[in-house]
Amino acid sequence: MTRRGLLLILSSPSGAGKSTLSRMLMAWDPTMRFSVSATTRKPRPGEEDGREYYFRGREDFLAMVADGQMLEHAEVFGNLYGSPRGPVEAAMQAGTDTVFDIDWQGGQQVAQAMRGDVVSIFILPPSIAELDRRLRSRAQDSDEVIAGRMAKSRDEISHWAEYDYVLVNDDLELTFERLKAVLTAERLKRERQPQLSAFVRTLNEEFEAR
Ligand code: ADP
Ligand code: 5GP
């Protein structure tokens, strides 16, 4: 009997480190899958269609929404972003855990739709100065885009208390250790171990055979 795959939601203000942490998590456990979102934003240098995102025009995106193909969707920084439903449902059935890098609006929608299967984690930067430094050091966005993202950070951070866990991403390795600890503990929850009843039955049979 396999358990249902869980849905690990990572949210943070842009630049706090959730893409870095989700990449580390999937390198640590290659059985996990990343929910590749669809977006109407333009690809950044190095981004590939189907790997970081499915890059779509606004019309195509809205057609997917109208067709019920999105588990959640939201407008972030003037672009539409959404999580395709099909791969998530298939992974859950197969007992595969899925990582989402989505904003608070998406986190709320997934939590409402799939409450018992969601583990949500909010990542905070150690300071606003460091958040600004990280956004600049990523060197992938224009000054104007960075300023827009910093302006939205305060709003994103205001949703921290809606999450199950909160990690302050100061030291990357330490934060990663904590992230693994959360995932490991959540996987060990009794209701996520459906094989336990059968296992305890074998223990009882062993008692009876003594
Ligand atoms: P997000 O996905 O939240 O927008 P990223 O994972 O892209 O953020 O991280 C933004 C930048 O900060 C990247 O250049 C990344 O390498 C760097 N970074 C992430 N975590 C840390 C950390 N704990 N210490 C220093 N730099 C970090
Ligand atoms: P970026 O453009 O930097 O890749 O992402 C911008 C923001 O959009 C981030 O906060 C990211 O978590 C969020 N985001 C990415 N994909 C999705 C999605 O499918 N749904 C929602 N709601 N937000 C998303």
Side-chain angles (χ1 to χ4, degrees):
M1 201 192 299
T2 46
R3 66 172 172 85
R4 286 153 70 79
L6 59 78
L7 310 181
L8 189 72
I9 295 181
L10 300 181
S11 300
S12 77
S14 189
K18 62 196 170 311
S19 318
T20 306
L21 287 161
S22 62
R23 274 196 299 271
M24 290 167 82
L25 198 60
M26 280 173 305
W28 173 68
D29 179 355
T31 71
M32 297 195 83
R33 71 168 279 295
F34 181 69
S35 171
V36 179
S37 298
T39 182
T40 60
R41 104 155 146 66
K42 298 276 170 286
R44 294 193 187 117
E47 286 184 333
E48 247 176 55
D49 186 46
R51 192 179 61 190
E52 283 81 9
Y53 284 103
Y54 297 107
F55 297 99
R56 294 289 179 267
R58 218 173 163 93
E59 246 175 56
D60 282 2
F61 187 102
L62 292 172
M64 288 172 78
V65 173
D67 194 33
Q69 290 180 40
M70 294 296 193
L71 179 59
E72 61 76 31
H73 70 282
E75 180 138 4
V76 189
F77 311 126
N79 292 303
L80 294 169
Y81 292 81
S83 309
R85 181 191 298 279
V88 177
E89 290 182 347
M92 284 177 82
Q93 293 292 324
T96 301
D97 297 336
T98 303
V99 181
F100 292 78
D101 172 341
I102 59 180
D103 84 328
W104 67 271
Q105 304 173 84
Q108 267 187 4
Q109 291 173 49
V110 180
Q112 267 163 23
M114 314 238 176
R115 190 161 300 286
D117 298 304
V118 168
V119 176
S120 62
I121 305 179
F122 198 86
I123 298 161
L124 286 170
S127 68
I128 300 308
E130 174 63 9
L131 183 67
D132 187 68
R133 196 195 64 74
R134 286 184 194 170
L135 270 179
R136 287 175 199 289
S137 75
R138 194 164 63 182
Q140 283 179 331
D141 295 305
S142 65
D143 282 354
E144 192 191 339
V145 167
I146 290 174
R149 284 171 183 243
M150 282 302 289
K152 281 284 283 182
S153 293
R154 192 166 186 165
D155 182 40
E156 184 75 27
I157 288 174
S158 73
H159 293 277
W160 68 276
E162 295 157 23
Y163 286 70
D164 299 324
Y165 298 90
V166 179
L167 303 176
V168 177
N169 181 19
D170 191 346
D171 178 89
L172 185 60
E173 284 306 321
L174 186 61
T175 309
F176 182 49
E177 287 305 314
R178 291 175 173 159
L179 179 59
K180 287 188 290 185
V182 167
L183 179 62
T184 302
E186 287 288 343
R187 284 174 167 172
L188 289 171
K189 276 199 164 158
R190 191 183 58 238
E191 60 272 22
R192 295 211 172 95
Q193 298 196 70
Q195 79 288 3
L196 278 183
S197 305
F199 176 66
V200 173
R201 224 173 297 127
T202 68
L203 293 182
N204 284 330
E205 282 162 13
E206 218 181 316
F207 268 128
E208 282 153 24
R210 278 162 70 93

